[in-house]
Amino acid sequence: MSSTKGGTHQGFTAEERAALKDHAQELKKAARRGSHAEKAAQAERDVLAKIAEMRDSDRIMAERVHAVVTATAPALAPKLWYGMPAYALDGKVVCFFQSAEKFKSRYATLGFSDQAKLDEGTMWAAGFALTEVTEEVEARIAELVRRAVS
């Protein structure tokens, strides 16, 4: 949410309002779907369609993140979450990909929810900036995802 220099609340940004609208549409769409298998198949198609809509650099990274996450943790179900590709275990989002374009950021983000088992003492990273997904980055993502669902 945005605020002025004095700290007064100005409401949600246009990008935040769009994300909330996306989430409401995702919930409505999911409620209308049929069997569990149909819902899962449509959810993955929705994720792939959202990735296909991204600008080139975000799309390339999202495609690679999607491939790594689904190969590393088949138990994670792809789904849209606030208009972003996300991966859930038992319906609860564990990790997600946020394109740089989504909130007009200078980098994309691989984020993890509190469902991810990445705890390291009293402080640990829950989000990672991505500017490129190299083989080294893919290996790090795979390791994080394995830990997140362990």
Side-chain angles (χ1 to χ4, degrees):
M1 291 194 304
S2 63
S3 62
T4 63
K5 287 183 183 177
T8 58
H9 173 69
Q10 296 295 308
F12 293 107
T13 65
E15 294 82 11
E16 291 167 334
R17 284 191 303 277
L20 290 170
K21 184 178 177 184
D22 286 343
H23 187 57
Q25 289 173 341
E26 293 157 12
L27 293 173
K28 286 179 188 176
K29 200 174 195 182
R32 290 190 299 256
R33 293 189 181 138
S35 71
H36 178 70
E38 291 170 340
K39 287 179 181 183
Q42 184 58 51
E44 179 151 22
R45 285 191 296 270
D46 292 345
V47 165
L48 293 173
K50 183 59 75 173
I51 290 171
E53 293 172 3
M54 293 178 187
R55 69 175 188 209
D56 287 346
S57 60
D58 284 338
R59 181 183 42 75
I60 291 165
M61 287 189 290
E63 288 170 346
R64 293 182 74 181
V65 167
H66 178 79
V68 171
V69 172
T70 56
T72 302
L76 291 178
K79 68 183 273 178
L80 288 179
W81 184 62
Y82 293 94
M84 297 178 283
Y87 305 88
L89 186 61
D90 300 325
K92 295 180 180 176
V93 170
V94 173
C95 61
F96 60 91
F97 177 85
Q98 179 180 300
S99 69
E101 188 175 28
K102 180 86 175 162
F103 293 106
K104 296 179 175 42
S105 176
R106 67 183 179 91
Y107 52 80
T109 304
L110 174 65
F112 291 87
S113 76
D114 62 334
Q115 300 298 309
K117 298 173 183 169
L118 298 177
D119 305 35
E120 290 180 2
T122 58
M123 183 175 138
W124 57 91
F128 298 85
L130 296 172
T131 57
E132 182 180 7
V133 179
T134 62
E135 286 184 25
E136 181 181 323
V137 171
E138 285 181 355
R140 178 74 171 126
I141 291 169
E143 188 262 322
L144 287 166
V145 169
R146 269 193 289 283
R147 282 184 45 212
V149 296
S150 65

